[in-house]
Amino acid sequence: MNTNPYSSDLRIGIVGLGAVGASLARTFDAGIPGIRLVGITVRNPERAAGVLANLKNPLALLDLEELVQASDVVIECAPAALLPQIALPVLSAGKKLVVLSSGALLESPHLIDLARLHGGQILVPTGALLGLDAVTAAAEGVIHSVRMITRKPPRGLVGAPYLLENFISIEGLDKPKRVFKGSAREAARGFPANLNVVVALSLAGIGPDRTALEIWADPSVIRNTHLIEVDADSASLTMTIENIPSDNPRTGRITAQSVVALLRKMNAPLRIGT
Ligand SMILES: NC(=O)C1=CN([C@@H]2O[C@H](COP(=O)(O)OP(=O)(O)OC[C@H]3O[C@@H](n4cnc5c(N)ncnc54)[C@H](O)[C@@H]3O)[C@@H](O)[C@H]2O)C=CC1
Ligand SMILES: O=C([O-])CC(=O)C(=O)O
């Protein structure tokens, strides 16, 4: 833990030691100039022991209140349903919260007011997506439409509430099947562990009700693939990303790297990209 009050290192706390949290812990443990990992909050310390044992530096297991006290920036990498309870103490303390479960922000807009009230900040990284720099720039003018088409290996969609509620089977597919067509807001409700990216896109652009999404369960892809088309008065954008899965088949490897890139930029003397 950083006990030196004169250090200018950014003190980082992580909540959740799954695919993203463990990747971040390993990266920070290996050392990034100006960034110091001060602790982690987990649900199950016994399950965390394996990851923690392989770090070079001992990492403090803290409860959420202790983590908030010790950190300048807390990174939420936990299940979406926990976002409000994780965000509350961080934002009430006027600190910065990096949100990976960005889909859950739509159900908790009060968190933005909380951040405003206490001088905190919610940071949504580009995560498993691309191009949010160009979309936010386009949003300074007029964006006419935003459309995203996602293709996922069926196993990355298993258990999504929308599929269960609508009795949509994705077992044994031998060709792509469109399983959803609707807005980013509807997708966030129906696929809370799968489509954070479209919510981030919608918040960067024209909002969750006007951002259109199709989801395909596609047995021919091994990567989560997102195609985005934006039509604006400044530019037309067509962008694709093919994400190599991490330890969690729902989560692209690039997600954790996006958080590292965001943190590196925070105090950097040269900052590239919007
Ligand atoms: N914004 C984006 O681009 C992306 C966001 N995500 C989202 O990021 C979040 C994390 O993703 P993964 O690491 O892949 O998920 P994961 O399922 O691998 O890990 C979540 C971890 O949180 C832990 N956890 C559960 N309850 C907890 C509690 N009360 N306190 C602390 N930890 C707790 C679980 O034990 C698990 O280790 C998910 O909500 C996921 O949907 C994932 C990929 C891309
Ligand atoms: O948005 C998400 O939660 C995950 C995702 O689609 C990806 O990793 O490609």
Side-chain angles (χ1 to χ4, degrees):
M1 188 180 304
N2 177 18
T3 48
N4 177 0
Y6 303 107
S7 164
S8 59
D9 284 357
L10 205 54
R11 298 170 305 159
I12 305 296
I14 296 175
V15 184
L17 196 59
V20 176
S23 170
L24 289 173
R26 285 191 284 264
T27 303
F28 297 141
D29 181 61
I32 295 199
I35 291 179
R36 186 186 297 256
L37 181 59
V38 295
I40 185 147
T41 300
V42 300
R43 177 179 50 179
N44 185 335
E46 278 158 32
R47 277 178 55 192
V51 175
L52 298 181
N54 285 319
L55 301 179
K56 280 188 307 193
N57 306 291
L59 182 56
L61 279 180
L62 303 175
D63 68 29
L64 188 55
E65 287 296 337
E66 292 169 331
L67 189 82
V68 172
Q69 285 298 316
S71 309
D72 303 308
V73 181
V74 172
I75 307 170
E76 171 278 322
C77 353
L82 301 181
L83 178 67
Q85 74 195 59
I86 294 169
L88 185 72
V90 181
L91 299 174
S92 300
K95 299 206 170 172
K96 291 188 192 299
L97 178 69
V98 177
V99 169
L100 272 303
S101 304
S102 43
L105 279 173
L106 296 186
E107 299 287 335
S108 295
H110 65 281
L111 296 177
I112 300 162
D113 297 327
L114 194 66
R116 189 180 293 114
L117 186 67
H118 296 282
Q121 191 179 33
I122 300 169
L123 299 122
V124 176
T126 305
L129 209 60
L130 78 170
L132 297 190
D133 50 353
V135 178
T136 51
E140 294 294 334
V142 177
I143 298 180
H144 305 300
S145 64
V146 178
R147 189 167 92 107
M148 184 165 125
I149 300 175
T150 288
R151 289 178 188 277
K152 294 204 174 202
R155 74 183 183 120
L157 291 166
V158 167
Y162 183 89
L163 301 183
L164 300 175
E165 282 158 20
N166 293 286
F167 306 103
I168 298 171
S169 168
I170 50 171
E171 264 176 49
L173 291 182
D174 57 6
K175 59 179 193 321
K177 178 173 178 175
R178 192 178 73 190
V179 295
F180 174 85
K181 186 172 190 291
S183 70
R185 188 185 298 282
E186 290 159 344
R189 289 202 189 111
F191 298 84
N194 302 89
L195 264 309
N196 295 287
V197 285
V198 79
V199 173
L201 174 66
S202 75
L203 295 174
I206 52 176
D209 298 308
R210 291 180 60 210
T211 302
L213 175 71
E214 284 182 24
I215 306 173
W216 291 74
D218 187 341
S220 71
V221 298
I222 50 171
R223 300 180 177 192
N224 292 334
T225 302
H226 308 292
L227 164 69
I228 299 167
E229 291 169 341
V230 178
D231 180 32
D233 67 351
S234 56
S236 297
L237 316 177
T238 304
M239 312 179 277
T240 308
I241 187 166
E242 296 179 9
N243 284 322
I244 298 173
S246 63
D247 297 340
N248 178 348
R250 295 183 176 86
T251 296
R253 251 187 225 178
I254 202 167
T255 310
Q257 291 176 215
S258 169
V259 175
V260 176
L262 170 78
L263 295 172
R264 270 189 207 271
K265 276 185 187 181
M266 222 169 261
N267 289 334
L270 172 65
R271 188 180 162 141
I272 309 294
T274 307

